[in-house]
């Protein structure tokens, strides 16, 4: 043997719609390493986004795909008792207007609020065409009763907090 790998059982002439169910056919990621906070009770752009181009049409039937978007890591915090911080995902298609998709994680502060990482996911099964450029972005809002309620979507803690990552996977 000469150490070469022979691709005898792989059909390289097939298309993505022939991939086995559950196959990731493309992915992309973005991250936010700078601090971002808000006191507003409206979804505000955080600077965290991911963009990809669909390989297949969207949907849940045979020959289509879904996009799985995750937000993980980072360091969330709320500055006062009774503050709720929420994270949402918005989507732009082919550079159009951003539209709300889902709230994906939230935290409620109490006395001695802990720092916590993000852990959220959205599954997009919209019937969008192959070749569509999809941009997903994370937005934050702060809610509370009275006073100044600040939600830190991401805060830098003594050099030990890592960035918030947003990843999009297209899955058959």
């Amino acid at each position: 043997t000469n150490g070469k790998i022979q691709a005898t059982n792989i059909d390289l002439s097939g298309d993505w719609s022939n991939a086995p169910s559950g196959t990731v056919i493309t992915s992309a990621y973005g991250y936010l390493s700078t601090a971002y906070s808000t006191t507003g009770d409206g979804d505000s752009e955080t600077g965290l986004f991911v963009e990809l181009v669909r390989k297949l049409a969207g949907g849940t039937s045979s020959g289509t795909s879904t996009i799985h978007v995750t937000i993980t890591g980072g360091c969330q915090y709320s500055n006062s008792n009774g503050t709720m911080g929420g994270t949402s995902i918005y989507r732009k298609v082919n550079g159009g207007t951003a539209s709300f998709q889902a709230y994906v994680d939230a935290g409620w502060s109490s006395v001695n609020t802990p720092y916590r990482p993000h852990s959220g996911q959205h599954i997009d099964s919209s019937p969008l065409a192959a070749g569509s450029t999809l941009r997903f972005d994370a937005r934050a809002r702060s809610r509370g009763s009275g006073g100044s309620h600040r939600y830190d979507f991401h805060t830098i803690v003594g050099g030990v907090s890592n960035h918030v990552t947003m990843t999009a996977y297209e899955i058959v």
Side-chain angles (χ1 to χ4, degrees):
T1 64
N2 58 14
K4 293 182 181 177
I5 296 173
Q6 300 292 324
T8 56
N9 294 329
I10 300 174
D11 179 6
L12 299 176
S13 65
D15 61 34
W16 291 115
S17 63
N18 295 326
S21 180
T23 301
V24 175
I25 59 175
T26 192
S27 66
Y29 73 93
Y31 63 89
L32 179 66
S33 57
T34 57
Y36 181 82
S37 64
T38 184
T39 56
D41 187 10
D43 293 339
S44 61
E45 293 184 50
T46 63
L48 176 62
F49 71 92
V50 63
E51 187 172 281
L52 59 74
V53 177
R54 290 195 79 104
K55 292 191 178 294
L56 289 177
T60 56
S61 61
S62 177
T64 64
S65 66
T66 57
I67 307 291
H68 297 233
V69 182
T70 63
I71 298 177
T72 56
C75 187
Q76 300 180 74
Y77 180 74
S78 298
N79 75 329
S80 63
N81 191 23
T83 299
M84 193 271 303
T87 303
S88 56
I89 293 179
Y90 279 67
R91 181 190 69 204
K92 285 184 183 179
V93 179
N94 297 324
T97 302
S99 62
F100 172 83
Q101 299 300 296
Y103 284 108
V104 295
D105 75 1
W108 182 262
S109 70
S110 60
V111 178
N112 300 319
T113 300
Y115 296 110
R116 61 195 182 281
H118 285 274
S119 178
Q121 175 174 281
H122 168 64
I123 298 174
D124 184 346
S125 59
S126 301
L128 298 168
S132 297
T133 299
L134 305 179
R135 177 185 166 119
F136 296 92
D137 73 89
R139 302 199 182 187
R141 73 186 309 166
S142 177
R143 302 188 80 177
S145 58
S148 174
H149 294 276
R150 186 189 76 238
Y151 168 56
D152 294 341
F153 175 81
H154 180 57
T155 189
I156 311 299
V157 181
V160 296
S161 62
N162 203 350
H163 47 259
V164 185
T165 303
M166 186 177 220
T167 307
Y169 305 92
E170 184 175 3
I171 301 176
V172 175

